[in-house]
Amino acid sequence: MPKLTVDGIEVEVPAGATVLQACEAAGKEIPRFCYHERLSIAGNCRMCLVEVKPGPPKPQASCALPAADKQEIRTDSPMVKKAREGVMEFLLINHPLDCPICDQGGECDLQDQSVAYGRGFSRYAENKRAVTDKYMGPIVKTTMTRCIQCTRCVRFADEVAGVPDIGALYRGENMQITSYLEHAVASELSGNVVDLCPVGALTSKPYAFEARPWELKKTVAIDVMDAVGTNIRLDSRGRQVLRALPRINEDVNEEWAHDKTRHNVDGLVRARLDRPFVRRGGKLVEATWAEAFEAIRAVNAGWSVAAIAGDLLDAETMYAAKALMHSMGSDLLEGRQTGLVYDATNIAAVNFNTGIAGIETADVILLVGTNVRWEAPLVNTRIRKAIKKGAKVFAIGPEVDLTYKVEWLGNDLGLLAKLPKVVKDAFASAQRPALILGGGGLGAGAQGATLALVEPLGLVRDGWNGYNVLHMAASRMAGLMLGYAQPGGLADIVAQAPKLLFLLGADEVAADRFPNSFKVFIGHHGDKGAAMADVVLPAAAYSEKPGTYVNIEGRVQRGDRAVFPPGDAREDWAILRALSEVLGHKLPFDSFDALRAAMAGEVPALGQEGLAQYEWAPPSLDASASGPCGYPIKDFYLTNAICRASPTMQRCSAELVHGQSFAEAAE
């Protein structure tokens, strides 16, 4: 490990570290534009110049210089100061300096570093160059005259997203960054280039001219668009969430978020339920809370009552509904609203056991019935990292572009019983083998067949469990922990034909499954669930309530409330608590904290944030599986009620999934 001094401070860094990393280890701030910790080194901007001895008597780019023994680094010498001022002066030669109208204002690296490391004047008096704006799709807005050619966006698209749609044209002063043929960037991760851009060249198109960062209240939250549990920050002003940004969590999402996470927020204020409705004469009409509760009480269902949980629910809502069902003498609870059936008696057997971060250390991966790119884009980026380290990936299912090399074995689940020799040989020599069973495989009944492969493929060994199930719903793991899983799935509840059915944000249930049930929809959007309900009770969206969520790897996480629900809408647990009193089955908690404490008392794992541990005790299931499987997600951008209400997600779906073209107005 090299030892060197930085401004007189001795530091020791790992072999292969750069001088920039050594400077940061010594507590020194090094300005940079092109360098990013998660991207390859480009050495474009030259802002990170330092003085190095022994070496030539000139400043050197610290991002691309390997740290070596006995180096003496100066970050604050007159030479370094003058060099950085010169670099900044060159960077600003063609920059338009339009900060007052730039969406990056207040969050701009160029602003910050020009003040900290630049001169207070410019000697350049020539005309600045201008660059035409490029079209990059419905997510990314471009003002390419501001671009300083750091190429972060190019490297991200190629290395992380795996969609090399962004590149550079021409050379020198004429260089321009553009998308391929100026088409929309065909990646579900394209919004991350906005965060990466150190200037205002790439900004968020849906957020354009909406707010300044100092106007916004920032709230810690958990994303519910998939089951990864992306850590996000909701930025709100007044009673509206204006944007969602990722927070850094190395174990979950690193610092990325997919486009659905970032841009579903405009759906939070559209098609909202803000008052109760009761169906009279075949039509839903406005009602008071008392009238809605009385209509439910009048059903006189007795014990014939059931609850179906939707995909976006927090654990507290599901626990409150479960407590109400039990007080009414029913245990008919189900969270797999589309009809999936699998054994959930052992949570470890339906868990992502390698962990999200752990899958990038796997050396052989078998995908079974999963389009990882759409079901969990941030797991897909981890698999890309595993491949860069030499991992092999095999897959059973319909062929799709996963952005990396995959050896497709065919679309017949019968292959699980007779894997090709090349697969067996790869797993036999693997140190960290992994299998990922997705929604398509689960839906086609492949759980038993994949569990039967655990021993032959050596998936479980000391310090490693490579058996993974990839869920798609944010509420799924918490629901399984709380018992929202009938042995026969949704069909068990259909067979019971309950007189009273609670749809807890469940918009994906087929309308004809419960023709004779009195349906109560507790949710936040006027979508499919509200359309078939007899009583609609307006609830809070994920941004409007605190909540506990469990991601695919069993990690318990909590989010806070960013804004309040609109109109007469209330938090889900409060609705259930008030309704329980009317029904004569009063729930034993009067506050959210009391509810959370009661939930933790019943399921201790839900009471503490962090990665829960589950004992590996898989059930013995029928190992036969045959026939083709399909992928459950047909349109990545329209998977839930919030997305379907979002104009941005509708535009993304039309353009990126269905190939519709949009004419841009000339300005």
Side-chain angles (χ1 to χ4, degrees):
M1 295 175 67
K3 287 184 179 180
L4 59 159
T5 60
V6 179
D7 294 342
I9 302 170
E10 187 174 286
V11 292
E12 187 174 7
V13 294
T18 63
V19 168
L20 187 150
Q21 292 169 323
C23 292
E24 291 190 330
K28 300 296 180 179
E29 181 183 44
I30 302 296
R32 83 290 298 266
F33 291 112
C34 68
Y35 176 80
H36 192 275
E37 293 83 354
R38 302 184 199 278
L39 303 176
S40 61
I41 295 171
N44 292 345
C45 71
R46 320 307 287 180
M47 195 64 206
C48 63
L49 295 174
V50 296
E51 187 178 348
V52 182
K53 293 180 182 178
K58 64 176 185 179
Q60 299 187 55
S62 60
C63 69
L65 184 66
D69 258 332
K70 300 181 181 178
Q71 280 179 330
E72 294 181 22
I73 313 296
R74 289 292 304 276
T75 68
D76 54 2
S77 67
M79 177 198 291
V80 172
K81 183 176 184 296
K82 184 177 180 181
R84 289 175 180 172
E85 287 177 350
V87 169
M88 181 59 70
E89 195 170 3
F90 273 114
L91 287 173
L92 294 177
I93 276 178
N94 283 315
H95 194 77
L97 305 179
D98 55 350
C99 304
I101 62 163
C102 177
D103 272 317
Q104 197 83 342
E107 302 174 307
C108 178
D109 291 348
L110 189 62
Q111 279 184 328
D112 296 342
Q113 293 183 38
S114 65
V115 171
Y117 302 102
R119 287 194 172 108
F121 60 91
S122 173
R123 294 172 288 178
Y124 189 73
E126 309 299 322
N127 292 328
K128 291 175 180 281
R129 79 164 188 165
V131 181
T132 56
D133 294 343
K134 314 301 181 189
Y135 182 70
M136 289 192 179
I139 296 298
V140 182
K141 178 177 182 286
T142 64
T143 311
M144 300 313 293
T145 300
R146 301 170 185 154
C147 180
I148 61 171
Q149 286 93 38
C150 72
T151 68
R152 280 186 181 183
C153 54
V154 177
R155 285 174 284 146
F156 173 84
D158 187 36
E159 298 166 12
V160 180
V163 181
D165 283 4
I166 305 176
L169 299 177
Y170 318 124
R171 300 181 69 185
E173 187 183 20
N174 296 319
M175 181 177 173
Q176 298 181 26
I177 303 294
T178 180
S179 58
Y180 179 67
L181 298 179
E182 293 197 36
H183 289 173
V185 179
S187 171
E188 54 288 331
L189 298 168
S190 65
N192 290 290
V193 300
V194 172
D195 289 350
L196 287 172
C197 185
V199 296
L202 305 179
T203 55
S204 171
K205 188 175 285 186
Y207 177 69
F209 308 125
E210 286 288 339
R212 287 300 193 189
W214 54 83
E215 301 176 309
L216 303 175
K217 183 184 80 170
K218 300 167 178 61
T219 307
V220 169
I222 302 298
D223 174 49
V224 297
M225 294 297 108
D226 59 23
V228 171
T230 300
N231 288 219
I232 59 173
R233 190 189 84 199
L234 296 176
D235 288 0
S236 57
R237 183 178 60 192
R239 299 191 68 167
Q240 183 174 350
V241 175
L242 294 180
R243 65 177 179 178
L245 297 176
R247 291 182 289 124
I248 296 177
N249 187 323
E250 299 294 346
D251 295 325
V252 182
N253 57 292
E254 297 180 291
E255 63 182 75
W256 314 127
H258 58 70
D259 293 346
K260 198 161 51 172
T261 298
R262 289 175 177 274
H263 297 295
N264 70 77
V265 294
D266 56 354
L268 291 170
V269 293
R270 290 170 169 85
R272 287 301 303 269
L273 299 172
D274 59 358
R275 66 201 69 181
F277 288 85
V278 175
R279 191 174 295 277
R280 293 175 181 148
K283 293 184 177 181
L284 287 171
V285 298
E286 292 182 24
T288 65
W289 280 101
E291 290 170 340
F293 285 173
E294 180 56 31
I296 299 169
R297 190 191 65 80
V299 175
N300 193 23
W303 58 266
S304 184
V305 58
I308 301 175
D311 292 346
L312 312 181
L313 283 188
D314 55 294
E316 286 83 0
T317 296
M318 289 187 283
Y319 177 76
K322 176 182 179 180
L324 179 59
M325 294 300 105
H326 280 189
S327 68
M328 298 175 74
S330 172
D331 60 357
L332 292 177
L333 304 168
E334 182 56 66
R336 299 163 295 184
Q337 52 176 330
T338 56
L340 275 178
V341 181
Y342 49 83
D343 191 296
T345 53
N346 178 238
I347 296 295
V350 289
N351 191 43
F352 202 87
N353 291 297
T354 62
I356 295 172
I359 194 65
E360 67 183 58
T361 66
D363 44 13
V364 179
I365 303 171
L366 174 61
L367 306 176
V368 181
T370 177
N371 177 1
V372 192
R373 182 175 174 182
W374 278 10
E375 293 173 19
L378 297 181
V379 172
N380 207 46
T381 62
R382 302 280 190 165
I383 298 176
R384 280 185 56 81
K385 292 172 76 173
I387 287 180
K388 288 181 180 180
K389 298 173 184 174
K392 294 181 180 179
V393 177
F394 303 94
I396 297 174
E399 291 192 25
V400 292
D401 179 13
L402 295 178
T403 74
Y404 44 80
K405 183 180 178 181
V406 178
E407 187 168 333
W408 293 93
L409 305 177
N411 186 18
D412 181 4
L413 294 176
L415 288 165
L416 292 169
K418 47 182 180 181
L419 289 172
K421 184 176 185 299
V422 63
V423 179
K424 292 179 179 178
D425 290 347
F427 273 89
S429 60
Q431 299 298 313
R432 298 168 78 83
L435 179 148
I436 300 177
L437 174 63
L442 282 173
Q447 184 188 18
T450 54
L451 284 171
L453 290 175
V454 168
E455 190 171 335
L457 298 184
L459 297 177
V460 178
R461 55 187 71 178
D462 287 344
W464 177 257
N465 187 333
Y467 184 82
N468 301 304
V469 174
L470 186 62
H471 299 293
M472 296 164 288
S475 64
R476 182 71 75 245
M477 284 297 287
L480 296 178
M481 294 165 72
L482 286 166
Y484 277 77
Q486 298 294 310
L490 192 64
D492 283 3
I493 297 182
V494 173
Q496 292 290 331
K499 293 180 182 178
L500 180 59
L501 177 67
F502 287 95
L503 299 171
L504 307 172
D507 287 294
E508 316 304 327
V509 177
D512 59 353
R513 300 298 299 270
F514 299 95
N516 300 317
S517 299
F518 187 90
K519 294 177 278 293
V520 178
F521 180 76
I522 303 176
H524 40 78
H525 275 76
D527 203 73
K528 302 173 186 177
M532 64 175 163
D534 298 293
V535 171
V536 175
L537 303 178
Y542 75 99
S543 58
E544 299 157 359
K545 58 185 175 182
T548 300
Y549 302 91
V550 185
N551 74 351
I552 52 174
E553 59 183 349
R555 186 178 300 276
V556 179
Q557 304 182 111
R558 288 176 177 167
D560 296 331
R561 174 173 52 211
V563 295
F564 287 93
D568 290 337
R570 297 291 182 268
E571 292 182 29
D572 310 59
W573 77 269
I575 295 173
L576 292 164
R577 168 62 181 80
L579 178 60
S580 70
E581 200 157 358
V582 174
L583 296 178
H585 299 278
K586 183 178 177 181
L587 293 176
F589 40 79
D590 296 322
S591 69
F592 183 78
D593 289 339
L595 161 61
R596 184 171 275 177
M599 179 180 71
E602 183 170 324
V603 185
L606 292 173
Q608 187 172 358
E609 292 184 82
L611 198 60
Q613 300 297 324
Y614 308 108
E615 183 183 352
W616 177 251
S620 298
L621 303 174
D622 181 7
S624 62
S626 62
C629 68
Y631 300 133
I633 297 180
K634 306 302 181 186
D635 189 329
F636 172 75
Y637 297 98
L638 300 178
T639 52
N640 57 61
I642 298 176
C643 291
R644 289 189 286 266
S646 164
T648 303
M649 292 296 99
Q650 292 171 7
R651 168 77 180 260
C652 287
S653 170
E655 187 167 354
L656 300 174
V657 177
H658 301 290
Q660 185 176 341
S661 61
F662 289 84
E664 290 290 309
E667 296 184 9

